[in-house]
Amino acid sequence: AASGGPTSIRQVKLDKECELRIEVAETPFRLRLLTGTAEIFGTEIPPEIWLSLPPRLKFAVFTWYGATIEMDGTTETDYTADETPMVSYVNVHAVLEGRRNRAKASPGDSDASQGPRVIVVGPTDSGKSTLSRMLLSWAAKQGWKPTFVDLDIGQGSITIPGCVAATPIEMPIDPVEGIPLEMPLVYFHGHPTPSANVDFYKVLVKELAQTLEKQFSGNAESRAAGMVINTMGWIDGVGYDLLLHAIDAFSASVVLVLGQEKLCSMLKDVLKNKPNVDVVKLQKSGGVVSRNPKVRQRARGGRIREYFYGLANDLSPHSNIANFSDLSIYRIGGGPQAPRSALPIGAEPTADPTRLVPVNINRDLLHLVLAVSYAKEPEQIISSNVAGFIYITDIDIQRRKITYLAPCHGELPGKYLIVGSLTWVET
Ligand code: ADP
């Protein structure tokens, strides 16, 4: 393993089924494919063309048949690995492919026309997002339009953290740009972990599943392509219950368990009465890089920044000013509860976790990220998806004005806003 070499152009020859694992440093780095074929997380890289990779990206260039890669720039680390679980991953893809073809050949039959619904589970940093991405890109390469569902509200590969979301994948996912943000279906939880409000998280997962179900019923193509569902790394206690809830809500037919024997046998056991659900254990790749809480926190901020400013600072968000009276802001659940002492003896304090609590505008909202709901009435807020997000940059109590950053200029697509605990400090 070579690391942190001098800034120079160098070539690496990869044998078949090997990968070059790279952690980009803070400085510019690019690479290109000189000979052979290679892919980054399931997406083929074009020959000859230099690809610039963003700082701190951790990725691998894998080749099925052999390739020569040229690199330019320093890296944190780069090394070649000849042991990868890629063959087992592509075998899963082949099985899914067979199921998609069968689904496509059975139009009209409501059960048989449903393609595979794959859910990827495992501890944090087991390579769940990466495997999801590969399965989606391989499927898209063969002309399918599978739906990507991301339930990982801690990171979020479709939109900002704090959300559950889904989007069709029509092309192999670009290794640099990620998932194109064309009208994803997004539900806002508002917190970077579901534990802040578990019941609300479940409500949103259920809503997302039901909305997709409706969409599928009118779209044979996406129905046959099926879905790939990425989940959180929280797999104990409540986290485990949430996995079971997601498997049930989406009627998953394939559960891929990455790198954890115990989780796999627990799931096999609870799902053994469901003959239509396959639980498959897969090896974790040795290339997966662990990220500490600080790195995660930083990645969260990065995703929010990217939403407003674009990956390469190529978007220009607008700073808008609204009157307090123009906006109705709500929080879901929480709020003041009756203290135990104020209740009749024996009664438990009940806080409805999905209660809608109106929020008074004050300086506590500064630096929070709010979602703009599609709801037309307050009662619809809990079950509505969101159009996008704003970021509060100033509150003028005296003049009753609120300044916020939005991706575009002009009126917001709705007047109801949802606030949670998602903050961001612009840097
Ligand atoms: P999880 O979703 O389980 O938390 P990820 O798929 O996000 O894990 O992987 C964690 C990190 O490891 C990511 O930065 C990812 O790009 C990186 N990574 C995954 N597989 C490889 C690999 N084979 N080589 C290099 N980096 C990898």
Side-chain angles (χ1 to χ4, degrees):
S3 69
T7 313
S8 60
I9 294 195
R10 59 216 183 274
Q11 291 180 3
V12 178
K13 201 178 157 302
L14 289 175
D15 290 333
K16 78 183 220 328
E17 291 171 22
C18 289
E19 70 184 19
L20 172 61
R21 294 174 180 160
I22 298 172
E23 291 185 34
V24 182
E26 298 288 336
T27 44
F29 175 80
R30 51 182 203 154
L31 65 74
R32 63 175 175 167
L33 173 67
L34 285 184
T35 67
T37 54
E39 55 184 50
I40 297 178
F41 296 154
T43 301
E44 272 197 76
I45 56 177
E48 306 281 341
I49 298 166
W50 283 105
L51 292 179
S52 292
L53 286 314
R56 298 182 296 279
L57 188 74
K58 296 152 183 51
F59 70 104
V61 184
F62 177 85
T63 179
W64 291 106
Y65 306 108
T68 314
I69 309 295
E70 191 165 56
M71 297 190 273
D72 179 18
T74 37
T75 61
E76 246 354 286
T77 349
D78 60 81
Y79 68 97
T80 302
D82 57 7
E83 258 177 57
T84 77
M86 291 295 275
V87 170
S88 61
Y89 293 178
V90 87
N91 284 340
V92 169
H93 164 71
V95 171
L96 300 178
E97 200 61 12
R99 294 192 182 184
R100 290 186 183 108
N101 282 319
R102 273 210 301 282
K104 195 178 174 183
S106 324
D109 180 327
S110 70
D111 281 336
S113 64
Q114 174 60 61
R117 297 183 170 194
V118 185
I119 185 164
V120 184
V121 307
T124 343
D125 297 325
S126 55
K128 295 180 297 300
S129 319
T130 305
L131 176 60
S132 303
R133 189 181 263 240
M134 289 190 284
L135 294 174
L136 290 160
S137 290
W138 288 331
K141 186 182 170 190
Q142 284 174 287
W144 301 99
K145 294 176 181 165
T147 300
F148 178 35
V149 178
D150 197 359
L151 303 182
D152 183 3
I153 70 171
Q155 293 293 319
S157 11
I158 296 178
T159 182
I160 68 166
C163 299
V164 295
T167 189
I169 301 297
E170 312 201 331
M171 287 203 305
I173 299 164
D174 187 289
V176 179
E177 304 282 327
I179 290 154
L181 272 187
E182 286 154 25
M183 295 296 281
L185 180 61
V186 181
Y187 290 86
F188 186 64
H189 182 264
H191 308 279
T193 159
S195 56
N197 189 338
V198 170
D199 290 282
F200 183 37
Y201 179 82
K202 284 187 176 174
V203 167
L204 296 183
V205 166
K206 198 82 204 161
E207 284 294 336
L208 178 60
Q210 282 167 354
T211 305
L212 288 176
E213 198 71 64
K214 268 184 230 131
Q215 291 183 355
F216 280 167
S217 67
N219 186 337
E221 194 185 9
S222 42
R223 194 173 164 77
M227 25 184 168
V228 176
I229 306 160
N230 183 34
T231 61
M232 301 174 283
W234 188 19
I235 55 168
D236 309 315
V238 177
Y240 178 69
D241 293 341
L242 290 177
L243 282 185
L244 296 180
H245 176 259
I247 291 170
D248 182 55
F250 286 93
S251 308
S253 56
V254 180
V255 183
L256 300 178
V257 190
L258 272 173
Q260 231 222 32
E261 210 77 52
K262 180 177 155 210
L263 178 63
C264 186
S265 76
M266 281 166 78
L267 288 171
K268 274 199 169 135
D269 199 46
V270 338
L271 297 168
K272 65 173 181 276
N273 300 325
K274 300 199 172 170
N276 300 328
V277 187
D278 296 318
V279 181
V280 180
K281 192 180 77 192
L282 287 172
Q283 203 195 321
K284 167 183 164 176
S285 166
V288 176
V289 183
S290 312
R291 294 157 297 175
N292 61 36
K294 214 173 138 206
V295 172
R296 270 164 215 289
Q297 170 81 35
R298 186 170 180 178
R300 272 202 279 279
R303 290 293 292 167
I304 297 173
R305 172 160 229 297
E306 188 185 332
Y307 174 80
F308 290 106
Y309 289 96
L311 192 62
N313 263 331
D314 48 342
L315 302 179
S316 22
H318 280 262
S319 188
N320 300 279
I321 298 178
N323 296 311
F324 282 13
S325 57
D326 297 339
L327 307 175
S328 303
I329 305 179
Y330 290 89
R331 182 183 294 284
I332 316 293
Q337 292 173 27
R340 209 173 276 267
S341 61
L343 293 170
I345 289 169
E348 285 296 312
T350 52
D352 177 1
T354 54
R355 186 168 55 120
L356 206 56
V357 185
V359 172
N360 287 325
I361 300 179
N362 61 39
R363 290 191 62 86
D364 291 347
L365 290 174
L366 215 55
H367 304 311
L368 282 163
V369 178
L370 277 59
V372 183
S373 177
Y374 275 124
K376 296 274 173 285
E377 304 292 335
E379 307 78 73
Q380 300 170 343
I381 292 175
I382 304 281
S383 57
S384 291
N385 55 319
V386 302
F389 310 94
I390 64 166
Y391 172 63
I392 310 286
T393 54
D394 191 34
I395 307 254
D396 185 335
I397 302 283
Q398 236 116 66
R399 291 169 50 239
R400 301 182 60 76
K401 299 259 186 217
I402 184 163
T403 311
Y404 63 88
L405 204 62
C408 43
H409 187 67
E411 218 169 294
L412 292 173
K415 72 172 278 203
Y416 298 113
L417 302 177
I418 313 167
V419 65
S421 61
L422 199 67
T423 55
W424 176 50
V425 181
E426 227 182 319
T427 44

